[in-house]
Amino acid sequence: MAHRVEITATIEDTRAAVLLDKLHAMGFSTLRNVSLANVYTIDGKFDDTQLPSAVRLLSDPITEGATVFETESVQTSFPYSHEFDWAVEIGLQPGVTDNVGNTAGETIEDCVAGFTGQVFSSQVLYLSGDLTEQQAVAIGNSLANTLIERVSQKSVSSYALEGGMDVVVPRVQIHETPRVDEVDILLS
């Protein structure tokens, strides 16, 4: 079962302020506010005591808050407590080395007895302002390297209806059987 852990700042986030200025300079002048969440998708098994320990390793309790979502549970409350109009998530495509996720996974393996699994990282931008869907898509595409990163977006109404962003485990899946062709290299 995959667990989605969203880490958000509980104090003023300078990264968000700098990003807001950058987006204004790119022409998104109707944008009022940006909030960021670092996301760790943990694909592994935990018992009831291990998951909270893993979450504590991924966040700073002084300056950050953490929210955990599970793939097999239905969200009954609005997952993000701040006001926003669009959520845009940027994460790595399957097969791309995720150094942040790998380091988080190694940390959990070192500190949580019996954990085996993988961790994948991504980031969600919570955007407030008078934006169209096309503008939300443009913001995501302008910030991502679409060769190696995936971008998804949800309006606040879709986000609320669906219980937040999707839990994505970017694992490579090969659906066809590899084939080998023999070539005769002897020339007669």
Side-chain angles (χ1 to χ4, degrees):
M1 170 175 23
H3 305 272
R4 181 184 172 91
V5 180
E6 287 198 15
I7 310 294
T8 55
T10 56
I11 61 172
E12 185 176 345
D13 189 348
T14 306
R15 301 171 308 155
V18 169
L19 181 57
L20 179 61
D21 290 343
K22 178 180 179 178
L23 291 170
H24 281 162
M26 293 170 62
F28 299 103
S29 58
T30 60
L31 196 57
R32 288 188 314 275
N33 190 38
V34 175
S35 298
L36 300 174
N38 293 327
V39 179
Y40 299 94
T41 303
I42 305 170
D43 189 26
K45 294 186 179 184
F46 290 102
D47 65 28
D48 291 340
T49 61
Q50 291 174 318
L51 184 57
S53 297
V55 171
R56 280 193 297 277
L57 293 169
L58 299 174
S59 62
D60 178 351
I62 305 298
T63 62
E64 297 174 319
T67 306
V68 179
F69 309 97
E70 297 182 20
T71 55
E72 295 180 3
S73 67
V74 176
Q75 297 303 125
T76 56
S77 62
F78 195 65
Y80 186 70
S81 61
H82 300 288
E83 184 179 317
F84 68 95
D85 297 299
W86 286 93
V88 177
E89 182 168 15
I90 301 171
L92 293 169
Q93 297 276 15
V96 177
T97 300
D98 185 348
N99 290 318
V100 173
N102 290 341
T103 302
E106 289 172 6
T107 301
I108 294 170
E109 284 178 8
D110 289 346
C111 299
V112 177
F115 171 76
T116 57
Q118 286 184 287
V119 179
F120 304 94
S121 67
S122 59
Q123 189 174 64
V124 177
L125 293 71
Y126 293 100
L127 308 172
S128 298
D130 186 23
L131 298 172
T132 64
E133 181 176 4
Q134 291 77 18
Q135 288 173 312
V137 169
I139 287 171
N141 288 337
S142 68
L143 297 175
N145 178 346
T146 55
L147 290 175
I148 63 170
E149 292 177 309
R150 61 181 170 76
V151 179
S152 60
Q153 65 283 327
K154 286 188 180 182
S155 66
V156 68
S157 57
S158 293
Y159 186 96
L161 183 66
E162 298 170 15
M165 298 302 285
D166 298 329
V167 178
V168 177
V169 178
R171 180 169 287 125
V172 174
Q173 297 181 14
I174 300 173
H175 298 289
E176 48 187 63
T177 306
R179 188 181 112 208
V180 176
D181 291 331
E182 290 186 26
V183 177
D184 185 8
I185 58 171
L186 296 175
L187 300 173
S188 354

